[in-house]
């Protein structure tokens, strides 16, 4: 969770970070070691009717959850009468 960053920029949310993990395996006849590392980034466009100040993120058991609530005051849906 310390290596993950969440940013809001230009009507989008950007989730980025860096992974660095090593897996070791000791068997009777051989020894193996695999290393996974590198930067990652994913971005999503957000609609206009979100509550930016109420966005929350949690990281539990290796799962990142981002809650982006709607702002009811910014609802764009309405009915237009035909004249």
């Amino acid at each position: 969770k310390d290596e993950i960053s969440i940013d809001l920029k230009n009507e989008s949310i950007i989730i980025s970070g860096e992974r660095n993990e090593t897996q070791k395996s000791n068997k009777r006849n051989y020894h193996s070691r695999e290393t996974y590392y590198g930067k990652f980034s994913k971005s999503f466009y957000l609609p206009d009717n979100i509550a930016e100040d109420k966005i929350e993120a949690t990281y539990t058991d290796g799962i990142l959850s981002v809650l982006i609530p709607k702002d009811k005051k910014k609802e764009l849906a309405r009915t237009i009468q035909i004249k």
Side-chain angles (χ1 to χ4, degrees), residues 15-42:
I15 302 170
S16 60
E18 189 168 353
R19 82 180 72 133
N20 186 7
E21 94 184 43
T22 302
Q23 293 181 353
K24 297 179 184 179
S25 175
N26 290 322
K27 301 290 182 177
R28 183 176 179 185
N29 297 330
Y30 67 92
H31 172 77
S32 174
R33 176 188 233 165
E34 295 182 35
T35 304
Y36 304 98
Y37 63 92
K39 294 183 179 185
F40 63 89
S41 177
K42 184 70 178 174

Side-chain angles (χ1 to χ4, degrees), residues 3-19:
E3 296 160 354
I4 299 173
S5 172
I6 302 173
D7 300 304
L8 285 175
K9 186 175 182 181
N10 296 334
E11 299 176 0
S12 63
I13 189 167
I14 303 163
I15 302 170
S16 60
E18 189 168 353
R19 82 180 72 133

Side-chain angles (χ1 to χ4, degrees), residues 41-53:
S41 177
K42 184 70 178 174
S43 62
F44 303 92
Y45 287 107
L46 298 174
D48 293 333
N49 62 339
I50 63 164
E52 294 177 6
D53 56 336

Side-chain angles (χ1 to χ4, degrees), residues 57-70:
T58 57
Y59 185 79
T60 307
D61 297 327
I63 298 174
L64 176 67
S65 299
V66 181
L67 177 65
I68 305 172
K70 290 183 179 180

